Amino acid sequence: MSIERVTATPAALALIERLQRQHGPVMFYQSGGCCDNSAPNCLLPGELMIGPADIYLGSLGSAPFYMSRSQYEYWKHTQLIVDAIAAPLGSDNFSLEGPEGQAFLSRSRLFSDAESAQIEAEGELPRP
C-alpha cells in the first residue's frame, strides 16, 4: 500500500466538494511561497500548466495535487495535510476559495523512517 504524500482534513474535503459543484473539476498546486506564503492553491485545470519540473503527490478526493520538483526537495520528508480555515472575504490569494471566506492551508507531519524508506523505493507517483 502506497504512503499518502498529501491528504486533506474533512473541512478541506467539504470545501473542495463545494468548489467542484460550483466550478467543475479542480486541481491543486502547492505554491512556492511568493505572495501567498506557501499555500496550496486550488485552480481550474488549465489555469496553470503542469510540466516536467512538477511532481504529482496524489489527489484530494478527485482533485490532483502537484508541486515543483525543487520545492518537493524541502517537503519530501513530510506528509502534507491540507486544511480549510476561515479567512477574510476577498483575501489576497489566487485560489478559488478566496470568495468563500475560507483558505486552504498546508500542515505537515514528518514521515517515519519506515514510511520514508517506502516512499524512496516507490519513486515518483504516476500522473493521473
Side-chain angles (χ1 to χ4, degrees):
M1 183 171 172
S2 281
I3 304 293
E4 288 184 302
R5 298 177 196 197
V6 63
T7 188
T9 64
L13 290 172
L15 180 54
I16 293 166
E17 288 177 15
R18 189 165 73 235
L19 292 171
Q20 288 174 325
R21 283 193 303 274
Q22 291 173 1
H23 302 285
V26 298
M27 61 173 279
F28 281 86
Y29 193 86
Q30 178 71 34
S31 84
C34 169
C35 309
D36 49 12
N37 299 316
S38 297
N41 287 303
C42 184
L43 307 163
L44 297 174
E47 285 188 317
L48 179 71
M49 296 303 297
I50 301 300
D54 297 310
I55 293 178
Y56 169 70
L57 293 183
S59 292
L60 305 177
S62 62
F65 191 102
Y66 301 90
M67 79 169 33
S68 72
R69 186 177 307 278
S70 61
Q71 188 171 6
Y72 178 71
E73 287 303 311
Y74 294 107
W75 290 90
K76 68 183 176 184
H77 305 293
T78 64
Q79 179 183 57
L80 292 180
I81 304 159
V82 177
D83 199 0
I85 60 170
L89 280 175
S91 292
D92 233 6
N93 70 33
F94 306 108
S95 195
L96 287 176
E97 80 281 0
E100 301 292 316
Q102 291 189 282
F104 288 110
L105 173 76
S106 288
R107 302 180 191 280
S108 63
R109 73 162 183 90
L110 288 174
F111 287 123
S112 69
D113 290 343
E115 288 172 319
S116 292
Q118 183 176 340
I119 286 169
E120 183 73 24
E122 290 173 353
E124 287 185 27
L125 296 172
R127 292 186 185 216

